[in-house]
Amino acid sequence: MTNKIPTISESEWEVLKVLWEKAPQTANDIISSLQAQTSWKPKTVRTLLDRLTKKEVVGVYKNQRVYTFYPLYSQDECQRAKTDSFVKRFYDGTLKSMLVQFIQDEDLSEEDIEELRSILDKKRDKK
């Protein structure tokens, strides 16, 4: 999808993770999965599904009384949107500033450094 992805709360993100793992799923399937991971009540999960549906992040098939939900965006699309939002908010939209800070602050193994170098080399080769 090329539409701008709406802002997704942390709780809504948890619902989406369940759907990305396996879709489509009924509300009861999603509730069962989330109750194994959280202390959320079924009504909370239904509210989150309703919000995601209204935001047009999740679609729903209505078959009589059974509603089946599916994601309208891939996990990759949502992660990219969340990353873009984060970089804009905290690093004035400059990805380089964020990367420099993370690299300087983190203890990177030799393997991590080689992987980063390889990614940068591939990026350069594409240009």
Side-chain angles (χ1 to χ4, degrees):
M1 289 196 131
T2 58
N3 299 343
K4 184 178 186 300
I5 298 172
T7 303
I8 301 167
S9 72
E10 294 303 316
S11 299
E12 292 165 344
W13 193 265
E14 292 303 314
V15 173
L16 280 170
K17 286 195 315 193
V18 169
L19 283 171
W20 287 322
E21 219 172 271
K22 179 183 175 224
Q25 291 190 57
T26 65
N28 287 337
D29 292 336
I30 297 166
I31 289 166
S32 294
S33 292
L34 287 169
Q35 282 183 325
Q37 306 167 25
T38 67
S39 59
W40 296 345
K41 303 284 186 225
K43 185 171 172 134
T44 302
V45 177
R46 289 183 194 280
T47 298
L48 292 168
L49 284 167
D50 187 46
R51 283 187 201 161
L52 287 166
T53 302
K54 284 181 182 167
K55 289 181 179 183
E56 297 180 349
V57 175
V58 167
V60 61
Y61 299 119
K62 298 175 184 174
N63 185 6
Q64 295 175 347
R65 295 186 64 184
V66 177
Y67 287 24
T68 307
F69 298 88
Y70 57 94
L72 294 174
Y73 294 94
S74 71
Q75 186 170 2
D76 186 55
E77 289 172 311
C78 289
Q79 285 173 332
R80 285 182 193 277
K82 194 117 170 140
T83 300
D84 289 346
S85 170
F86 175 80
V87 170
K88 283 178 185 155
R89 227 174 343 161
F90 294 103
Y91 294 95
D92 295 325
T94 308
L95 182 61
K96 179 183 167 190
S97 298
M98 182 191 80
L99 291 173
V100 167
Q101 181 177 353
F102 278 112
I103 290 170
Q104 288 175 342
D105 291 350
E106 289 295 315
D107 290 330
L108 298 174
S109 69
E110 196 60 41
E111 183 179 319
D112 292 337
I113 293 168
E114 285 304 316
E115 185 175 353
L116 288 170
R117 192 170 278 130
S118 172
I119 291 167
L120 291 172
D121 287 344
K122 286 178 188 171
K123 188 76 170 171
R124 181 181 29 200
D125 291 345
K126 283 184 179 178
K127 290 187 176 188

